[in-house]
Amino acid sequence: MTNRTPELAEPVFRLLSDLVRKRTGFVVSDSHRSRMETRLSGEALAAGSFYQLYTQLREEPTDSPAFGRLIDASVNGETYFFRDPDGLAAFSEEIVPERILANGQESEVAIWSAGCATGEEPYTLAMILAERGILPGRKVRIRGTDASPDAIRRARLATYGSHALRSTSEIRRRTHFEEAGTGRWIVKSELRQLVVFECLPFNLESRSGTLMDVIICRNVLIYLDEEARFQALELFSERLKPGGYLLLGPSDALAASATPLKLVRLSHDVAYRK
Amino acid sequence: MTEDSASFVASLAESIVEADPDTRWLVAAKLSEVPGPESEKVLISLLGDPDYRVREKAVAVLTRRFTREVAKACLSGMGDEENAGRRGASVSLLSKGGVLGTETLVEALASNSPDVRLAAALALPAEGAGPNAVLALERALLSEVDANVRAGILLALGRTKRREAIRPLLMALEQSGPWHQIHALEALGEIGDPGVASRLLPLLDIPALRRATLRTLARLESPGPSEDLAFRAARGETDSELISALRHCLSAAPASTCGRVREIWTAAPAVLSELLGSTLTSPEQKSDAAHLLALLDVESAAFLIVRAGRTADGYGALNDLPVERLNDVMSAALQEEDPEPAFALVDRLKGTGNEGALSPLLVHPSPLVQATVLSLLPAGAAPLGEVMQILAEEDPETVLPAALALSAVHPQMPLDRVKRQHQALLDRARGADGPGRSAAVTALASVPGADVDEIIRHAVGSLDPAVRAAAAGAIGMRDSFSADEILKLADDPESRVRAALLRSLARLGERKPAGFEADWRDVLIYLADDSPVAAAAGEALMSLAGPERSRLAEEMLAQGDSIRRAAIEEIVRTGDSEAAASVAIAVDHEDLDTARAVLRALEIAPQPVAEDAAAQALADPRPEVREAAAELLARRGQPPARPSISDALARTMVEEREPLVLKALLKALVVAGGESALEPLTAILARERVEKEAIDAATALARRHEREVKRLWVSAPARAERRWAAALAAAAKSRQEERGAPS
């Protein structure tokens, strides 16, 4: 028995990254080569080589577990709780109250955190709505989606360490989390129940799915190629209710210039409204 | 020109008069196939087309047939005051027009119009311009009266990257005002000769030039100014430009210089830590501060860098810490939830032979880090208890690396440990379904023994499709399964299991263990199955085809994408050179993956077939195909039988704009490059940053063409000159080592 770690030669890395780009729109940076090599070395060993693994993955559907492993090894979803205070203030103080008024008191407010990585953003949205007194009491549904099955698996576990909580004050930590041992914290169950996670890349989303009041997609579009970015923006535009809001990250602003949505200046942030 | 083609061109010329842009674009494309002055004239007229796509097409076509008349038309087009599109297209074409284009742009520097002169200066020089271009620019600089054009010429001098341009630039530094001095500084940075760094230091005292000077010093990466900059920092000049310049100077400096800088700038730890921790500092400034902390080997630098979070280059600064600080990096990485610092350490130790030092990271909270470390640790380096614990956690991220770690042994490993590892795998593979069982079955695939065969037979009957798929894949590495047994299992309801079984059949067909008999006709029915199964069937069919492989390979070309690609890809693994030759005809196949698969298969084809196909593919309009052709030449690893291959490589390099294709071409040069590649390679070596592949190619060519390189390198641009010199030295050293090596 020996364990020979296969080498991910650059041309094969390119083939794998092209495959990810074609299927999901994600542009895999060169710096991910080493990461991809180590994360997929077991699979490559089982397949015979990285090239043979590529030839197998090429035939796999995008939502298969095997292809999901490739996506996991290709994307980098680094995020943390209470990131972007301005955007959160705009969301909780201006956008959601307006949507509640627009929908009527009894209607549900639908929120989609698109490209939510390991779930910090959708949970933060739930937390901030709880702090504003909107939750519990109103019907709010938060949906988190990401292309990476591993990220969604972790999001569902809702257990985080100090790095994810680096911008979370002690008070918030005590209010929204419970200690999970060894320096880790788990989101309280009443907040966990508010968020539904799905593993789905943008290009597999239905254009005619549930309409949303708010779509938040921060710092994701910059990782997509031009075509996928355009399609994602089209999708967001179609999936918003009339009057619904799209919130993007500052780095996505240029991409958003192509949307048919109207740019609106709020007190705390800018957003796009349908 | 025949009468037919003349009338054809005339009809095309007519058709563009009132045509839509798509038609005009098609006309330009069509004219690329028609030689002669008439079609050239139409193409020249299209340089002024209102649609940019048509202009782009005309430029692309005329680049390949750039004549004196075209150059002349461009010169006049540069002055077309009515049509900005024509002006732009003319300049674009001239800048791609090689020597003739450069000559014409130089001629444009004498135009009466300052706009034309400025456009020419901004487009000059074409890549690889020689000393004559510098002389022409220098002359133009002396006579130029327009301030903007002068600035443009100064920048053009920098873009020549030639040492000859340094003198006029230094003169401009002494004799001009700040506007031109700043441009001259930028140009000196572009040339990148560290030798000029000391000349620039006095300019740091001129407030208007300080920032530009520091930026140039950063680009020169000369250790010389380190101490001067440190004295300034010690006096409180700790702005972002100075920090950046000092970082880049120190990155090229020996440890002794770093030590002196530490003594001069005693407040460095405090200042840099503050910068790193401040929310007001940009990611780029943080990156510079982090690198400086590491280069100066400040106490606890690893902790400071990790705690500060990612900078513009992630945790790249950790790589600047001396080896003795790796324990600090380890401790700091273990204190962080973020896996990135741990990955920075992994990247640093990977491939060094010291991967065993990574084993403490097995307790990192991130399963990604655990999986990565498990896959890198040498056999037996991971504490057994920890590996077994990780396997027991059943985390899909870590189970397979853990199981593979348990299957890894080395001859010196204590027998007791080998047995315990083996037993742990057998126990898990016999246990309940789940990710751990699949992983254990996969890891056992290469472990001999009837007990393992039994486990695999049992696992194939599992209710868990993932376990069945793992067992189906493992069968391909065993010698005790017959084709009949495999085919009986292949009616599994899960397509991934069926695909894995067919791939196993292919593996067995390649190895042909004693007593293994199979007929390719048995897999035919699976060609009509789901896509992954059909592809695996194509693979198996090719593997089992025996003497009929060449014929079947040709027939596979008519199959659907999945089957065709898989079948061609299997050819290399069968080692059948005749079958490889039989698919060469599809080297320009419209399906990209097929064309690439063919080029991979040609690795084992007879040399003339492979070289003809490679030459054809190097001219393919698709960059992926050109890249695959270059890879084919590199992988074959033998000098080409025909010099035309080296010429084709050189030609492709000159025109290649895709960085990844260029990289592949450089790799191909190492084995297949000839004298004709020296000039295009010099142009690449003159760039500010070059890939390792360019250095390897230079060394290989310096070995094979020492005399020609020696003639060339003395007149090469500054950076290329240094790199050719290093390549000659490396080549001489390796020759010496070969001579000294025992026969």
Side-chain angles (χ1 to χ4, degrees), chain A residues 3-6 34-45 50 69, chain B residues 343 346 350 355 358 362 367-379 382 387 390 397-398 400-406 408:
Chain A
N3 192 0
R4 58 209 152 78
T5 307
S34 162
R35 196 75 46 89
M36 193 187 270
E37 180 179 275
T38 46
R39 286 190 72 181
L40 293 179
S41 64
E43 284 80 357
L45 203 53
F50 271 102
R69 293 278 304 147
Chain B
F343 280 127
V346 166
K350 195 173 147 192
E355 288 89 347
L358 291 169
L362 285 177
L368 304 186
V369 174
Q370 290 176 10
T372 300
V373 172
L374 278 169
S375 67
L376 283 178
L377 286 177
V387 183
I390 293 172
E397 186 69 45
T398 49
L400 185 55
L404 290 168
L406 288 174

Side-chain angles (χ1 to χ4, degrees), chain B residues 211-299:
Chain B
R211 280 181 71 180
T213 308
L214 286 169
R215 283 180 185 179
T216 299
L217 287 174
R219 293 179 77 185
L220 295 181
E221 294 192 346
S222 158
S226 304
E227 290 178 37
D228 282 74
L229 296 177
F231 278 117
R232 287 176 181 272
R235 289 200 301 266
E237 288 184 41
T238 52
D239 54 290
S240 57
E241 270 84 13
L242 190 128
I243 298 286
S244 174
L246 183 54
R247 169 203 162 177
H248 286 98
C249 291
L250 280 183
S251 67
S256 54
T257 307
C258 297
R260 279 198 297 280
V261 168
R262 256 197 319 268
E263 285 162 17
I264 297 166
W265 186 21
T266 49
V271 172
L272 295 171
S273 308
E274 196 185 327
L275 274 175
L276 203 54
S278 165
T279 50
L280 300 173
T281 316
S282 73
E284 288 74 21
Q285 290 167 332
K286 281 192 181 191
S287 173
D288 286 332
H291 278 274
L292 260 184
L293 275 169
L295 287 162
L296 293 173
D297 193 14
V298 167
E299 202 185 334

Side-chain angles (χ1 to χ4, degrees), chain A residues 1-5 9-12 14-15 18-19 21-22 30-31 33-35 37-39 41-49 51-52 54-56 58-61 65-66 69 72 76-79 150 153-154 159-164 166 183-184, chain B residues 310 315 335-338 340 343 346-347 350 365 367-368 371-372 374-376 395-397 400 404-410 418 422 442 446-448 477 496 503 507 531-532 535 539 562 565-566 569 573 592-593 596-597 600 624 627 631 660 663 667 693:
Chain A
M1 298 195 278
T2 52
N3 192 0
R4 58 209 152 78
T5 307
E10 190 178 344
V12 184
R14 291 267 328 287
L15 292 174
D18 279 355
L19 190 60
R21 189 179 52 74
K22 277 180 200 153
D30 285 353
S31 60
R33 179 170 153 200
S34 162
R35 196 75 46 89
E37 180 179 275
T38 46
R39 286 190 72 181
S41 64
E43 284 80 357
L45 203 53
S49 69
Y51 184 72
Q52 277 170 281
Y54 160 73
T55 62
Q56 290 175 21
R58 193 178 57 195
E59 306 304 332
E60 289 284 343
R69 293 278 304 147
D72 290 340
N76 188 8
E78 203 268 341
T79 185
D150 183 59
R153 190 171 59 81
R154 284 165 207 285
T159 309
Y160 300 91
S162 57
H163 195 72
R166 61 185 183 268
R184 295 170 70 76
Chain B
R310 297 179 201 195
Y315 292 93
Q335 288 173 21
E336 269 299 308
E337 174 87 2
D338 184 2
E340 293 304 320
F343 280 127
V346 166
D347 288 345
K350 195 173 147 192
L368 304 186
T372 300
L374 278 169
S375 67
L376 283 178
D395 186 326
E397 186 69 45
L400 185 55
L404 290 168
L406 288 174
S407 76
V409 295
H410 62 78
V418 174
H422 186 71
T442 300
S446 58
V447 178
M477 296 175 79
R496 59 176 151 161
R503 281 197 296 268
R507 296 298 84 77
S531 173
E539 204 174 314
S562 303
R565 298 166 189 157
E569 277 152 358
R573 292 192 286 271
L592 186 59
D593 272 330
R596 282 198 289 219
R600 285 186 81 90
E624 294 89 346
E627 186 185 8
E631 281 161 10
L660 291 162
K663 215 176 196 185
K667 280 187 194 163
E693 288 78 5

Side-chain angles (χ1 to χ4, degrees), chain B residues 555-575:
Chain B
E555 284 181 19
M556 285 292 113
L557 293 177
Q559 290 284 339
D561 286 349
S562 303
I563 300 168
R564 184 192 328 113
R565 298 166 189 157
I568 298 171
E569 277 152 358
E570 176 62 21
I571 292 174
V572 179
R573 292 192 286 271
T574 64

